[in-house]
Amino acid sequence: MIKKVSESYRHHVIAFTLGPALKMIEAVFDLLIPLIMKTIIDMSTFNGISAIDSETNPFILKIASFIRLFGTWIEDNQNLNYAIIGGVIILVMGILGFLTTMITQYVAARTAVLVGSEVRCSLYEKILSFSKKEREKFGNARLLTTLNADSYQVQQGVLIFIRLIVRAPFIILGALVISLVLNWQIGLVFASIIPLILFVIFFIMRKSSKEYLNIQKKLDRISIKTSDTIEGSKVIRAFNRQDYEIHSFEHLTKDYQTNAIKVARLNALINPLTFAIIALATLAVVLFGGLPLLESSQRDVALSSTIITEVAYLAQIFTTLVQLTNVVMVLTKSSVSKSRVDEILSVKPSITSKEGAKKINIPDGKEILRFDHVDLGYEEDGNLALKDISFELNKGQSLGIIGGTGSGKSTLINLIERFLDTTHGTVFYKGEDIKNYPLKDLRDEISLVFQHAVLFKGSILSNMQMANPDASEEEITKALKDAMAYEFVSKYDDYLLYPVEEGGKNFSGGQRQRLSFGLVDG
């Protein structure tokens, strides 16, 4: 079990390294393709490399030299020859880029699912280790929302991180550097718009990120309301409170809707603002590059290919910035969810089994349970639910505890099972402080039947084996007979394989109680 989400990240460090590295290769191919296209245009215009050696950009010169290495495929048409060779190179780069993309997508998807599963399993294990105190601190709705929604957001964050966290900045910076090398005046246009667009993106995301935590909290409230309504549906109908509950739920949903729409409106501004800035930048590129062409010569034709290339890089920047918006948005949500997950994973359960504790066997007549001046309060400095409770119970003896509602009967049982620990005083089990007794052995040795019987979705067999997973059919049948449950269970055609719906809703209250008695005996 992990204690923080970052531990799960470290378990997959190879994937977090390999994925971005492959994306870097894909980004290099994407940046080279416009340069190859410009080289093909220039070589065709100037009839080969020899005519452009003196004035051509070093990038273009090196690419042209590389194309020339492949020789001549078509003797009577050099322009077509350069176009075909360059086209084949672009095609090969496209295929390699596609393969690296597919591998990266697989690595990202697999790693995201593995991290998500590990986080969910760790949360589930942690929640099962919580005492009554920790569960009440967070509440069932918060735990469910974190287990499902927040773990999914963490998973999505991993997916986006591996796929785009390196590629997006590399494409933007790469396109900026190349544009400056090709034409410093046009490059300055790029240099001016990129910070402006990033400011727009991060300003909006900074404002919207503050709302994500509120949205998750409102989602918790909706989960609480839904859970209460489902559990208390009979009571709601019995008191004709349907309209009130519907109105109350609508109010919570409207509150959530208001916040969600507010964030959506903020995020919706990013693309139009980015598009407007890019459109102005494209106009500036055409003006800076197009005005000199009004008095063009053959050599000035090279400027037209530069403009085409610069516009291609501008399009790459625009597309990448839109992707970066998505990256920031998802990572912002993921960061909020990661904090909520870490908050639960970092909690140390207040009730744990002491290391090195050993099981003890005692003969009949010896002390099995003793309360020594026990106090218990559910809250610090709050009223005590139990105060100065003392009694002794030997093995073979029986003890009945009676009292009015709220007198502390259930609280006392919770202390015996160590669902709670004392505020003051000591509970002894088999002569040993109960805190020093192995927790698993303690609960194996003490049978507990709840007033509100709980069955789990599955079958009668799976429920009966809760106490003893190795129980045979004969042992379960005997337990059912002892619990007076065999009479109705034996009537089912599939007997022990008869399905149990969620919470045992397909059984009556009495039947659920009898099955729970049998479960303990089994």
Side-chain angles (χ1 to χ4, degrees), residues 257-304:
Q257 174 185 307
T258 301
N259 274 68
I261 290 176
K262 181 179 178 181
V263 173
R265 283 175 175 168
L266 280 170
N267 293 334
L269 291 173
I270 294 177
N271 282 355
L273 289 175
T274 304
F275 183 79
I277 295 171
I278 290 291
L280 292 174
T282 304
L283 177 62
V285 168
V286 173
L287 288 175
F288 275 116
L291 289 177
L293 290 178
L294 295 177
E295 299 178 358
S296 63
S297 64
Q298 184 185 23
R299 181 61 56 181
D300 292 329
V301 175
L303 186 57
S304 63

Side-chain angles (χ1 to χ4, degrees), residues 498-517:
Y498 186 78
V500 177
E501 299 300 331
E502 182 180 356
K505 300 299 183 183
N506 54 330
F507 294 94
S508 68
Q511 288 175 329
R512 288 198 297 271
Q513 284 186 333
R514 291 186 182 280
L515 286 173
S516 67
F517 293 155

Side-chain angles (χ1 to χ4, degrees), residues 29-232:
F29 290 155
D30 287 345
L31 289 172
L32 285 177
I33 287 175
L35 283 176
I36 295 174
M37 293 174 63
K38 173 175 169 52
T39 304
I40 294 171
I41 295 172
D42 288 352
M43 291 180 72
S44 299
T45 302
F46 303 125
N47 296 318
I49 190 172
S50 59
I52 58 172
D53 284 347
S54 60
E55 297 183 23
T56 299
N57 185 282
F59 281 172
I60 306 302
L61 188 61
K62 290 183 181 299
I63 295 173
S65 300
F66 179 72
I67 292 175
R68 291 284 292 176
L69 290 176
F70 292 91
T72 301
W73 295 1
I74 301 175
E75 297 288 348
D76 57 347
N77 193 333
Q78 277 284 44
N79 291 345
L80 182 60
N81 180 65
Y82 299 141
I84 291 176
I85 295 174
V88 170
I89 293 173
I90 291 174
L91 178 62
V92 171
M93 291 174 62
I95 293 172
L96 292 175
F98 172 77
L99 292 175
T100 57
T101 299
M102 293 302 294
I103 295 172
T104 306
Q105 299 290 75
Y106 171 77
V107 170
R110 183 176 183 275
T111 306
V113 170
L114 290 175
V115 169
S117 298
E118 190 170 6
V119 168
R120 276 187 286 274
C121 289
S122 297
L123 280 170
Y124 190 78
E125 185 177 347
K126 175 65 74 171
I127 291 169
L128 284 178
S129 71
F130 280 171
S131 68
K132 191 173 190 288
K133 180 180 179 181
E134 284 90 40
R135 287 198 306 274
E136 289 179 350
K137 173 186 175 183
F138 290 104
N140 291 336
R142 163 69 192 280
L143 295 175
L144 283 172
T145 303
T146 303
L147 185 62
N148 295 315
D150 289 317
S151 64
Y152 176 76
Q153 290 297 342
V154 170
Q155 179 176 314
Q156 289 299 103
V158 172
L159 182 67
I160 289 295
F161 181 91
I162 294 177
R163 286 175 52 194
L164 297 173
I165 195 64
V166 171
R167 183 185 184 277
F170 186 78
I171 286 285
I172 293 170
L173 291 176
L176 175 60
V177 170
I178 293 173
S179 67
L180 285 167
V181 173
L182 289 178
N183 187 301
W184 68 270
Q185 291 172 312
I186 296 177
L188 289 178
V189 176
F190 282 45
S192 62
I193 66 160
I194 291 175
L196 181 59
I197 294 174
L198 290 176
F199 172 78
V200 170
I201 291 174
F202 285 102
F203 176 76
I204 293 175
M205 293 310 301
R206 185 173 178 272
K207 290 182 69 69
S208 61
S209 64
K210 295 178 181 179
E211 298 295 330
Y212 286 135
L213 186 58
N214 290 332
I215 287 175
Q216 291 300 99
K217 289 179 179 179
K218 292 179 189 298
L219 196 59
D220 289 342
R221 296 191 191 112
I222 291 176
S223 297
I224 293 172
K225 188 65 178 178
T226 303
S227 177
D228 287 346
T229 301
I230 292 173
E231 289 294 322

